[in-house]
Structure formats: structure tokens, C-alpha cells
Amino acid sequence: MSSYFRNAMEVFKLLNKSNCKECFKPTCLAFAGSVFKGEKKLEECPYLPADVIAQFKDAQQKSPITDQGALDMMENYRKSIAQIDLESKAQALGGTFADGRLVIKVMGKNVSIDQHGKIFTDIHANQWVVMPLLNYIVQCKDAPISGIWVPFRELPSGRSWQGLFEKQCEELIKKVADTYPGFFQQILELFNGKEVEKHYKSDIALVVYPLPKIPLLICYWLPEDGIDSDLNLFFDAKTEDYININSIYAIGAGLARMFEKIAINHGF
Ligand code: SF4
């Protein structure tokens, strides 16, 4: 199954919906279903623009976020963590050490990790939290963040993931913000978000901390004079010193899905 699309509709949205059958499928929707299941490749539709195909292909080749790839990667991180002195690294990670476990705040909530990389938390620690957290413990440099905000595409490895990041992260969060009026207030309350000075002339700007040295700035522009609303995420320019691009993407996509669930639970 494709791990780059959450469902067949996401593939369908990319197609021209002409049902021309040149892909040897009866409809665009059937083609989308086959791509989602991994039976067809996007490039088998001759009408998809090359840049769209390239974006998804590139990410697919570079990304290890297949189910098996992610499991293997987490296993490797756990092996590396077993070799790390967590107590002496705790400060560099922006965490603490107590009762034999490293304690790190994830979105403002305590998560603890033992020497085997086993995670203990009250929050629902699905894969989007686990992989970036393990990666962070292994990779995080003992150096301060830069304090300079950059959009995802300006991170050193961000460009080839940009299309996917826009679709799976920024567009989804924008949709939640557009439809759920209490969204930003909820983030402030639930995740210890901090309202900050308005950046880039945005109407709302707030920072959350998926990990202690991974601040994430969310900027939202309200619709105005017939111009649609907009939402962009910004990262510290040095983020890739602490986690890799796979983990940065996983955080963005994971947060987008979590925010969606919160909105749905509130009836939006
Ligand atoms: S070739 Fe493309 S446009 Fe034609 S039916 Fe298949 S998916 Fe749709």
C-alpha cells in the first residue's frame, strides 16, 4: 500500500478526471485506487504533469517511510540509543533524566525513554512521534538553535519534499484552520503553544514545540478582499542538525492529522 497517500481520493485529486482509459483502467477513480494500493504508478497516467510525478517519485525514492522502512529505521535508532549515555546527553536534548529514563517534552507533554529506546507516555505515541523522537535522541547536536525561521523548502533537504509537504501538512492544517474557528485557541491550550509577534504580516502566529529544539512556527493569514486564506509552517534554519528531513516531514504530517482529529471531535 502506498504510504504517500492517505487514501485513493488524494491520488484522484491529482488526475484530470477525463476517464480516458489510457492507463488501462476504466476510470480515473479506479486508477487512483490502484495507485493507492501500489498496483499502478502515477506515471502510468500520461496526463499527469511531469513535475507532479517527479515530486512524488523523488520523495518515494528518498523516503524510507514505508512501513518496513520505518520499522527498520526505528530498530536502528534503538540500537544507537542503547550505546548513548542518556543522563549526560539529557541537557543537550533539552530534556531531563530521572529514574533511569530520559524525559523529553513532546508538544508540551512529558515523554520518557529508557536505555532500550522504549517509550513511556500518556499521550498517544503513534509512529509520527516515535520515529522523530528516536531520531532526535541519536542525532541532536549539542548546539543552540539559530533563531532564524525558514520555510520547509529552504531547509537543506526540503526542496525535493516540498510538494508532498504542502499537500500533506500545510494544506491540511489550513483546511482545519479555515473551518474550525477555535483551532488556534485549542493549540494554545492543549499543546502549550505560544502566541508570538506576527511574522510575515500574518494575522495569527504561534509556536509549538514538537520536540524541545524543534520549534514550529504556524502563520495564518485570514481571507481578505477576495483573496483566499493562507497558512505556512516555518522551521528553525538549523533543524536538520537535530533531526533528518524524514522526521521533519513525519512531524508535519503527524501534526496535521492530529489537528484534523481534534477538529472532527469538535464537530467540524
Ligand atoms: S489515463 Fe489518466 S486521465 Fe485517463 S483514465 Fe487513466 S488516470 Fe484518468
PDB file of all heavy atoms in Angstrom, residues 11-12 15-32 35 42 44-48, ligand 1:
ATOM      1  N   VAL A  11      -4.986  10.689  -4.429  1.00  0.00           N
ATOM      2  CA  VAL A  11      -4.422  10.451  -5.762  1.00  0.00           C
ATOM      3  C   VAL A  11      -5.397  11.030  -6.799  1.00  0.00           C
ATOM      4  O   VAL A  11      -4.990  11.731  -7.729  1.00  0.00           O
ATOM      5  CB  VAL A  11      -4.247   8.935  -6.034  1.00  0.00           C
ATOM      6  CG1 VAL A  11      -3.574   8.720  -7.386  1.00  0.00           C
ATOM      7  CG2 VAL A  11      -3.466   8.262  -4.917  1.00  0.00           C
ATOM      8  N   PHE A  12      -6.663  10.766  -6.596  1.00  0.00           N
ATOM      9  CA  PHE A  12      -7.702  11.198  -7.545  1.00  0.00           C
ATOM     10  C   PHE A  12      -7.651  12.705  -7.774  1.00  0.00           C
ATOM     11  O   PHE A  12      -7.801  13.182  -8.899  1.00  0.00           O
ATOM     12  CB  PHE A  12      -9.070  10.771  -6.994  1.00  0.00           C
ATOM     13  CG  PHE A  12     -10.225  11.070  -7.899  1.00  0.00           C
ATOM     14  CD1 PHE A  12     -10.331  10.466  -9.146  1.00  0.00           C
ATOM     15  CD2 PHE A  12     -11.222  11.954  -7.498  1.00  0.00           C
ATOM     16  CE1 PHE A  12     -11.407  10.748  -9.989  1.00  0.00           C
ATOM     17  CE2 PHE A  12     -12.296  12.238  -8.328  1.00  0.00           C
ATOM     18  CZ  PHE A  12     -12.391  11.635  -9.576  1.00  0.00           C
ATOM     19  N   LEU A  15      -5.553  13.924 -10.631  1.00  0.00           N
ATOM     20  CA  LEU A  15      -5.861  13.486 -12.010  1.00  0.00           C
ATOM     21  C   LEU A  15      -6.807  14.459 -12.710  1.00  0.00           C
ATOM     22  O   LEU A  15      -7.476  15.263 -12.060  1.00  0.00           O
ATOM     23  CB  LEU A  15      -6.487  12.091 -11.954  1.00  0.00           C
ATOM     24  CG  LEU A  15      -5.641  11.040 -11.201  1.00  0.00           C
ATOM     25  CD1 LEU A  15      -6.410   9.747 -11.022  1.00  0.00           C
ATOM     26  CD2 LEU A  15      -4.315  10.798 -11.912  1.00  0.00           C
ATOM     27  N   ASN A  16      -6.887  14.327 -14.049  1.00  0.00           N
ATOM     28  CA  ASN A  16      -7.724  15.290 -14.787  1.00  0.00           C
ATOM     29  C   ASN A  16      -9.196  14.867 -14.874  1.00  0.00           C
ATOM     30  O   ASN A  16     -10.019  15.589 -15.392  1.00  0.00           O
ATOM     31  CB  ASN A  16      -7.140  15.577 -16.173  1.00  0.00           C
ATOM     32  CG  ASN A  16      -7.293  14.405 -17.120  1.00  0.00           C
ATOM     33  OD1 ASN A  16      -8.013  13.432 -16.831  1.00  0.00           O
ATOM     34  ND2 ASN A  16      -6.620  14.464 -18.255  1.00  0.00           N
ATOM     35  N   LYS A  17      -9.502  13.684 -14.368  1.00  0.00           N
ATOM     36  CA  LYS A  17     -10.885  13.174 -14.259  1.00  0.00           C
ATOM     37  C   LYS A  17     -11.586  13.003 -15.606  1.00  0.00           C
ATOM     38  O   LYS A  17     -12.800  13.089 -15.705  1.00  0.00           O
ATOM     39  CB  LYS A  17     -11.748  14.074 -13.350  1.00  0.00           C
ATOM     40  CG  LYS A  17     -11.388  13.948 -11.887  1.00  0.00           C
ATOM     41  CD  LYS A  17     -10.938  15.256 -11.348  1.00  0.00           C
ATOM     42  CE  LYS A  17     -10.419  15.170  -9.940  1.00  0.00           C
ATOM     43  NZ  LYS A  17      -9.276  16.018  -9.713  1.00  0.00           N
ATOM     44  N   SER A  18     -10.820  12.769 -16.674  1.00  0.00           N
ATOM     45  CA  SER A  18     -11.436  12.608 -18.001  1.00  0.00           C
ATOM     46  C   SER A  18     -11.894  11.180 -18.260  1.00  0.00           C
ATOM     47  O   SER A  18     -12.611  10.920 -19.217  1.00  0.00           O
ATOM     48  CB  SER A  18     -10.427  13.019 -19.086  1.00  0.00           C
ATOM     49  OG  SER A  18      -9.345  12.106 -19.070  1.00  0.00           O
ATOM     50  N   ASN A  19     -11.461  10.243 -17.404  1.00  0.00           N
ATOM     51  CA  ASN A  19     -11.800   8.822 -17.592  1.00  0.00           C
ATOM     52  C   ASN A  19     -11.455   8.333 -19.002  1.00  0.00           C
ATOM     53  O   ASN A  19     -12.215   7.584 -19.612  1.00  0.00           O
ATOM     54  CB  ASN A  19     -13.293   8.577 -17.306  1.00  0.00           C
ATOM     55  CG  ASN A  19     -13.651   8.930 -15.884  1.00  0.00           C
ATOM     56  OD1 ASN A  19     -12.820   8.809 -14.979  1.00  0.00           O
ATOM     57  ND2 ASN A  19     -14.860   9.402 -15.652  1.00  0.00           N
ATOM     58  N   CYS A  20     -10.319   8.747 -19.520  1.00  0.00           N
ATOM     59  CA  CYS A  20      -9.951   8.422 -20.903  1.00  0.00           C
ATOM     60  C   CYS A  20      -9.497   6.982 -21.088  1.00  0.00           C
ATOM     61  O   CYS A  20      -9.404   6.494 -22.194  1.00  0.00           O
ATOM     62  CB  CYS A  20      -8.852   9.370 -21.370  1.00  0.00           C
ATOM     63  SG  CYS A  20      -7.286   9.048 -20.539  1.00  0.00           S
ATOM     64  N   LYS A  21      -9.173   6.303 -20.006  1.00  0.00           N
ATOM     65  CA  LYS A  21      -8.792   4.872 -20.015  1.00  0.00           C
ATOM     66  C   LYS A  21      -7.405   4.592 -20.587  1.00  0.00           C
ATOM     67  O   LYS A  21      -7.042   3.447 -20.820  1.00  0.00           O
ATOM     68  CB  LYS A  21      -9.821   4.018 -20.772  1.00  0.00           C
ATOM     69  CG  LYS A  21     -11.228   4.118 -20.238  1.00  0.00           C
ATOM     70  CD  LYS A  21     -12.150   3.180 -20.998  1.00  0.00           C
ATOM     71  CE  LYS A  21     -13.573   3.237 -20.525  1.00  0.00           C
ATOM     72  NZ  LYS A  21     -14.206   4.542 -20.551  1.00  0.00           N
ATOM     73  N   GLU A  22      -6.627   5.613 -20.866  1.00  0.00           N
ATOM     74  CA  GLU A  22      -5.298   5.367 -21.448  1.00  0.00           C
ATOM     75  C   GLU A  22      -4.363   4.666 -20.476  1.00  0.00           C
ATOM     76  O   GLU A  22      -3.315   4.166 -20.860  1.00  0.00           O
ATOM     77  CB  GLU A  22      -4.680   6.681 -21.947  1.00  0.00           C
ATOM     78  CG  GLU A  22      -5.371   7.185 -23.197  1.00  0.00           C
ATOM     79  CD  GLU A  22      -4.736   8.450 -23.739  1.00  0.00           C
ATOM     80  OE1 GLU A  22      -3.503   8.514 -23.810  1.00  0.00           O
ATOM     81  OE2 GLU A  22      -5.503   9.381 -24.075  1.00  0.00           O
ATOM     82  N   CYS A  23      -4.748   4.671 -19.222  1.00  0.00           N
ATOM     83  CA  CYS A  23      -3.936   3.949 -18.219  1.00  0.00           C
ATOM     84  C   CYS A  23      -4.401   2.497 -18.104  1.00  0.00           C
ATOM     85  O   CYS A  23      -3.926   1.765 -17.245  1.00  0.00           O
ATOM     86  CB  CYS A  23      -4.061   4.643 -16.870  1.00  0.00           C
ATOM     87  SG  CYS A  23      -5.781   4.763 -16.319  1.00  0.00           S
ATOM     88  N   PHE A  24      -5.341   2.102 -18.963  1.00  0.00           N
ATOM     89  CA  PHE A  24      -5.913   0.757 -18.950  1.00  0.00           C
ATOM     90  C   PHE A  24      -6.758   0.499 -17.692  1.00  0.00           C
ATOM     91  O   PHE A  24      -6.906  -0.631 -17.255  1.00  0.00           O
ATOM     92  CB  PHE A  24      -4.826  -0.328 -19.109  1.00  0.00           C
ATOM     93  CG  PHE A  24      -4.050  -0.153 -20.385  1.00  0.00           C
ATOM     94  CD1 PHE A  24      -2.760   0.335 -20.356  1.00  0.00           C
ATOM     95  CD2 PHE A  24      -4.632  -0.429 -21.621  1.00  0.00           C
ATOM     96  CE1 PHE A  24      -2.046   0.537 -21.518  1.00  0.00           C
ATOM     97  CE2 PHE A  24      -3.925  -0.232 -22.800  1.00  0.00           C
ATOM     98  CZ  PHE A  24      -2.629   0.256 -22.747  1.00  0.00           C
ATOM     99  N   LYS A  25      -7.263   1.564 -17.152  1.00  0.00           N
ATOM    100  CA  LYS A  25      -8.232   1.438 -16.060  1.00  0.00           C
ATOM    101  C   LYS A  25      -9.524   2.090 -16.544  1.00  0.00           C
ATOM    102  O   LYS A  25      -9.486   3.045 -17.334  1.00  0.00           O
ATOM    103  CB  LYS A  25      -7.718   2.164 -14.806  1.00  0.00           C
ATOM    104  CG  LYS A  25      -6.678   1.365 -14.043  1.00  0.00           C
ATOM    105  CD  LYS A  25      -7.384   0.263 -13.287  1.00  0.00           C
ATOM    106  CE  LYS A  25      -6.463  -0.722 -12.640  1.00  0.00           C
ATOM    107  NZ  LYS A  25      -7.175  -1.837 -12.049  1.00  0.00           N
ATOM    108  N   PRO A  26     -10.686   1.620 -16.075  1.00  0.00           N
ATOM    109  CA  PRO A  26     -11.940   2.153 -16.620  1.00  0.00           C
ATOM    110  C   PRO A  26     -12.209   3.615 -16.260  1.00  0.00           C
ATOM    111  O   PRO A  26     -12.877   4.323 -17.017  1.00  0.00           O
ATOM    112  CB  PRO A  26     -13.010   1.242 -16.007  1.00  0.00           C
ATOM    113  CG  PRO A  26     -12.350   0.591 -14.833  1.00  0.00           C
ATOM    114  CD  PRO A  26     -10.899   0.506 -15.147  1.00  0.00           C
ATOM    115  N   THR A  27     -11.712   4.062 -15.134  1.00  0.00           N
ATOM    116  CA  THR A  27     -11.956   5.447 -14.704  1.00  0.00           C
ATOM    117  C   THR A  27     -10.722   5.986 -13.978  1.00  0.00           C
ATOM    118  O   THR A  27      -9.855   5.219 -13.535  1.00  0.00           O
ATOM    119  CB  THR A  27     -13.130   5.522 -13.696  1.00  0.00           C
ATOM    120  OG1 THR A  27     -12.775   4.726 -12.555  1.00  0.00           O
ATOM    121  CG2 THR A  27     -14.438   5.031 -14.280  1.00  0.00           C
ATOM    122  N   CYS A  28     -10.700   7.295 -13.837  1.00  0.00           N
ATOM    123  CA  CYS A  28      -9.617   7.916 -13.060  1.00  0.00           C
ATOM    124  C   CYS A  28      -9.676   7.441 -11.604  1.00  0.00           C
ATOM    125  O   CYS A  28      -8.644   7.256 -10.958  1.00  0.00           O
ATOM    126  CB  CYS A  28      -9.739   9.441 -13.089  1.00  0.00           C
ATOM    127  SG  CYS A  28      -9.405  10.152 -14.707  1.00  0.00           S
ATOM    128  N   LEU A  29     -10.895   7.242 -11.115  1.00  0.00           N
ATOM    129  CA  LEU A  29     -11.030   6.813  -9.724  1.00  0.00           C
ATOM    130  C   LEU A  29     -10.449   5.409  -9.537  1.00  0.00           C
ATOM    131  O   LEU A  29      -9.752   5.135  -8.551  1.00  0.00           O
ATOM    132  CB  LEU A  29     -12.503   6.852  -9.307  1.00  0.00           C
ATOM    133  CG  LEU A  29     -12.775   6.676  -7.816  1.00  0.00           C
ATOM    134  CD1 LEU A  29     -12.042   7.718  -6.986  1.00  0.00           C
ATOM    135  CD2 LEU A  29     -14.267   6.740  -7.536  1.00  0.00           C
ATOM    136  N   ALA A  30     -10.712   4.544 -10.521  1.00  0.00           N
ATOM    137  CA  ALA A  30     -10.155   3.181 -10.441  1.00  0.00           C
ATOM    138  C   ALA A  30      -8.629   3.242 -10.490  1.00  0.00           C
ATOM    139  O   ALA A  30      -7.933   2.524  -9.761  1.00  0.00           O
ATOM    140  CB  ALA A  30     -10.696   2.333 -11.587  1.00  0.00           C
ATOM    141  N   PHE A  31      -8.114   4.127 -11.333  1.00  0.00           N
ATOM    142  CA  PHE A  31      -6.652   4.299 -11.407  1.00  0.00           C
ATOM    143  C   PHE A  31      -6.109   4.776 -10.056  1.00  0.00           C
ATOM    144  O   PHE A  31      -5.099   4.267  -9.554  1.00  0.00           O
ATOM    145  CB  PHE A  31      -6.321   5.311 -12.512  1.00  0.00           C
ATOM    146  CG  PHE A  31      -4.853   5.628 -12.621  1.00  0.00           C
ATOM    147  CD1 PHE A  31      -3.971   4.742 -13.228  1.00  0.00           C
ATOM    148  CD2 PHE A  31      -4.353   6.818 -12.114  1.00  0.00           C
ATOM    149  CE1 PHE A  31      -2.610   5.035 -13.325  1.00  0.00           C
ATOM    150  CE2 PHE A  31      -2.994   7.122 -12.204  1.00  0.00           C
ATOM    151  CZ  PHE A  31      -2.122   6.226 -12.818  1.00  0.00           C
ATOM    152  N   ALA A  32      -6.813   5.747  -9.461  1.00  0.00           N
ATOM    153  CA  ALA A  32      -6.374   6.282  -8.162  1.00  0.00           C
ATOM    154  C   ALA A  32      -6.335   5.167  -7.117  1.00  0.00           C
ATOM    155  O   ALA A  32      -5.381   5.066  -6.336  1.00  0.00           O
ATOM    156  CB  ALA A  32      -7.324   7.403  -7.713  1.00  0.00           C
ATOM    157  N   VAL A  35      -3.265   3.054  -7.714  1.00  0.00           N
ATOM    158  CA  VAL A  35      -2.026   3.714  -7.274  1.00  0.00           C
ATOM    159  C   VAL A  35      -1.919   3.621  -5.754  1.00  0.00           C
ATOM    160  O   VAL A  35      -0.872   3.295  -5.202  1.00  0.00           O
ATOM    161  CB  VAL A  35      -1.982   5.195  -7.731  1.00  0.00           C
ATOM    162  CG1 VAL A  35      -0.801   5.928  -7.089  1.00  0.00           C
ATOM    163  CG2 VAL A  35      -1.897   5.274  -9.248  1.00  0.00           C
ATOM    164  N   LEU A  42       1.998   6.370 -10.618  1.00  0.00           N
ATOM    165  CA  LEU A  42       1.450   7.655 -11.087  1.00  0.00           C
ATOM    166  C   LEU A  42       1.801   7.926 -12.541  1.00  0.00           C
ATOM    167  O   LEU A  42       0.985   8.421 -13.313  1.00  0.00           O
ATOM    168  CB  LEU A  42       2.026   8.803 -10.242  1.00  0.00           C
ATOM    169  CG  LEU A  42       1.342   9.175  -8.927  1.00  0.00           C
ATOM    170  CD1 LEU A  42       2.026  10.374  -8.326  1.00  0.00           C
ATOM    171  CD2 LEU A  42      -0.148   9.448  -9.118  1.00  0.00           C
ATOM    172  N   GLU A  44       1.894   6.171 -14.976  1.00  0.00           N
ATOM    173  CA  GLU A  44       1.118   5.439 -15.984  1.00  0.00           C
ATOM    174  C   GLU A  44      -0.077   6.254 -16.481  1.00  0.00           C
ATOM    175  O   GLU A  44      -0.745   5.857 -17.418  1.00  0.00           O
ATOM    176  CB  GLU A  44       0.675   4.093 -15.411  1.00  0.00           C
ATOM    177  CG  GLU A  44       1.861   3.147 -15.251  1.00  0.00           C
ATOM    178  CD  GLU A  44       1.472   1.811 -14.655  1.00  0.00           C
ATOM    179  OE1 GLU A  44       0.747   1.053 -15.315  1.00  0.00           O
ATOM    180  OE2 GLU A  44       1.878   1.540 -13.493  1.00  0.00           O
ATOM    181  N   CYS A  45      -0.362   7.368 -15.839  1.00  0.00           N
ATOM    182  CA  CYS A  45      -1.337   8.316 -16.405  1.00  0.00           C
ATOM    183  C   CYS A  45      -0.559   9.327 -17.238  1.00  0.00           C
ATOM    184  O   CYS A  45       0.233  10.101 -16.692  1.00  0.00           O
ATOM    185  CB  CYS A  45      -2.104   9.056 -15.308  1.00  0.00           C
ATOM    186  SG  CYS A  45      -3.049  10.452 -15.990  1.00  0.00           S
ATOM    187  N   PRO A  46      -0.755   9.337 -18.573  1.00  0.00           N
ATOM    188  CA  PRO A  46       0.055  10.211 -19.427  1.00  0.00           C
ATOM    189  C   PRO A  46      -0.290  11.693 -19.279  1.00  0.00           C
ATOM    190  O   PRO A  46       0.392  12.544 -19.823  1.00  0.00           O
ATOM    191  CB  PRO A  46      -0.278   9.729 -20.847  1.00  0.00           C
ATOM    192  CG  PRO A  46      -1.591   9.041 -20.732  1.00  0.00           C
ATOM    193  CD  PRO A  46      -1.694   8.500 -19.339  1.00  0.00           C
ATOM    194  N   TYR A  47      -1.344  11.993 -18.535  1.00  0.00           N
ATOM    195  CA  TYR A  47      -1.765  13.400 -18.432  1.00  0.00           C
ATOM    196  C   TYR A  47      -1.303  14.091 -17.155  1.00  0.00           C
ATOM    197  O   TYR A  47      -1.579  15.266 -16.950  1.00  0.00           O
ATOM    198  CB  TYR A  47      -3.295  13.488 -18.555  1.00  0.00           C
ATOM    199  CG  TYR A  47      -3.719  12.979 -19.902  1.00  0.00           C
ATOM    200  CD1 TYR A  47      -4.261  11.715 -20.058  1.00  0.00           C
ATOM    201  CD2 TYR A  47      -3.493  13.747 -21.046  1.00  0.00           C
ATOM    202  CE1 TYR A  47      -4.592  11.220 -21.303  1.00  0.00           C
ATOM    203  CE2 TYR A  47      -3.815  13.262 -22.298  1.00  0.00           C
ATOM    204  CZ  TYR A  47      -4.361  11.999 -22.421  1.00  0.00           C
ATOM    205  OH  TYR A  47      -4.667  11.534 -23.664  1.00  0.00           O
ATOM    206  N   LEU A  48      -0.612  13.334 -16.322  1.00  0.00           N
ATOM    207  CA  LEU A  48      -0.114  13.985 -15.105  1.00  0.00           C
ATOM    208  C   LEU A  48       1.134  14.797 -15.442  1.00  0.00           C
ATOM    209  O   LEU A  48       2.056  14.279 -16.083  1.00  0.00           O
ATOM    210  CB  LEU A  48       0.246  12.933 -14.056  1.00  0.00           C
ATOM    211  CG  LEU A  48      -0.850  12.602 -13.061  1.00  0.00           C
ATOM    212  CD1 LEU A  48      -0.426  11.444 -12.182  1.00  0.00           C
ATOM    213  CD2 LEU A  48      -1.197  13.802 -12.206  1.00  0.00           C
TER     214      LEU A  48
HETATM  215  S1  SF4 B   1      -5.043   7.864 -18.146  1.00  0.00           S
HETATM  216 FE1  SF4 B   1      -5.176   9.388 -16.522  1.00  0.00          FE
HETATM  217  S2  SF4 B   1      -6.846  10.703 -17.179  1.00  0.00           S
HETATM  218 FE2  SF4 B   1      -7.043   8.814 -18.331  1.00  0.00          FE
HETATM  219  S3  SF4 B   1      -8.390   7.489 -17.104  1.00  0.00           S
HETATM  220 FE3  SF4 B   1      -6.332   6.999 -16.543  1.00  0.00          FE
HETATM  221  S4  SF4 B   1      -5.988   8.276 -14.787  1.00  0.00           S
HETATM  222 FE4  SF4 B   1      -7.734   9.151 -15.818  1.00  0.00          FE
END
